[in-house]
Amino acid sequence: GAAWEETLNVKIGDDGAIWVKVPSPQVEAYVEPEDVCEALNINMLSLQLDMPVQVVSSVARHILIPVRSRRQMSELDPYWDLISEVCRKYDAEGFHLFSLDPVAGGAVHTRNLSPLVRLEEEAASPSANAALAGYMHYHRILPIESLETFICEQGWAFGMKARPSKVYVQLELVEAETHLQPIDVPAAGLTQQNQRAG
């Protein structure tokens, strides 16, 4: 509800994990794949094109980018200034890349590039991974039950020194009337796959 807008609720789990409560992810605008490919210095074949590149917000707005493999994510040589430019164009905080190619028992492998608002890369991003869990549920990419733990691996390809971390996300699913309503986003050239509402 509205109470979460002003504050983040934090609790420490029995295992020492830090839990942060963030607003429900909102699935928003589609992003032109060409824009992110140019900024990431990759070709379109590196993207998992059966999933949309899309802005999803939870605390902040993130551009979620499906990448085919973990290796392609780790070998990036991006244009940082272009990433910032694309983020400004779509009013987003950063690029959150993910691959369904995990290495350490997670559901997804992720990288978060946010040169516009902080240091170039982040080793663990609660808001972006919450947005990703919402996107996965919305598009029915992975089955996520209410309060099931969804594990995002992040920080493996972190600059000179890897800082592997696992971000645990739980979506609290409520009745369909209030949860992740399909949002009509006009965008040219979408495939049928992209237009499917969850």
Side-chain angles (χ1 to χ4, degrees):
W4 296 116
E5 301 305 315
E6 300 304 320
T7 58
L8 290 179
N9 197 346
V10 176
K11 70 175 184 182
I12 310 293
D14 296 337
D15 56 358
I18 299 168
W19 288 89
V20 182
K21 189 160 187 176
V22 297
S24 288
Q26 299 296 315
V27 179
E28 298 178 16
Y30 291 108
V31 172
E32 292 296 338
E34 295 81 0
D35 287 351
V36 298
C37 286
E38 187 184 359
L40 291 171
N41 195 14
I42 58 176
N43 68 31
M44 293 283 276
L45 295 175
S46 298
L47 296 184
Q48 187 78 39
L49 288 170
D50 56 345
M51 299 177 216
V53 179
Q54 197 163 23
V55 175
V56 182
S57 64
S58 174
V59 182
R61 290 163 57 82
H62 308 278
I63 297 176
L64 300 189
I65 304 170
V67 180
R68 279 190 185 283
S69 74
R70 192 174 65 240
R71 185 176 58 78
Q72 285 162 316
M73 284 170 58
S74 67
E75 292 175 357
L76 286 177
D77 182 19
Y79 298 118
W80 296 101
D81 52 340
L82 275 184
I83 292 176
S84 294
E85 216 171 280
V86 173
C87 287
R88 278 191 287 269
K89 175 177 173 179
Y90 292 96
D91 188 26
E93 182 177 283
F95 283 15
H96 196 60
L97 289 71
F98 68 93
S99 174
L100 302 179
D101 181 21
V103 65
V108 290
H109 196 78
T110 69
R111 265 188 98 169
N112 188 271
L113 313 178
S114 312
L116 192 59
V117 294
R118 61 172 70 83
L119 295 173
E120 289 176 346
E121 184 159 3
E122 208 178 19
S125 314
S127 165
N129 285 307
L132 177 58
Y135 168 102
M136 290 284 175
H137 173 73
Y138 180 86
H139 290 294
R140 303 289 190 265
I141 293 164
L142 291 175
I144 301 175
E145 301 299 321
S146 191
L147 296 181
E148 174 189 10
T149 301
F150 175 77
I151 302 174
C152 304
E153 309 169 348
Q154 191 177 333
W156 264 257
F158 187 78
M160 301 296 285
K161 181 168 171 26
R163 288 173 51 194
S165 60
K166 285 186 179 178
V167 179
Y168 296 80
V169 180
Q170 291 180 337
L171 283 182
E172 196 165 339
L173 304 181
V174 292
E175 294 306 311
E177 292 81 59
T178 54
H179 179 69
L180 293 183
Q181 287 300 327
I183 295 168
D184 281 329
V185 184
L190 290 179
T191 65
Q192 201 50 45
Q193 180 93 16
N194 289 1
Q195 286 171 334
R196 191 187 65 210

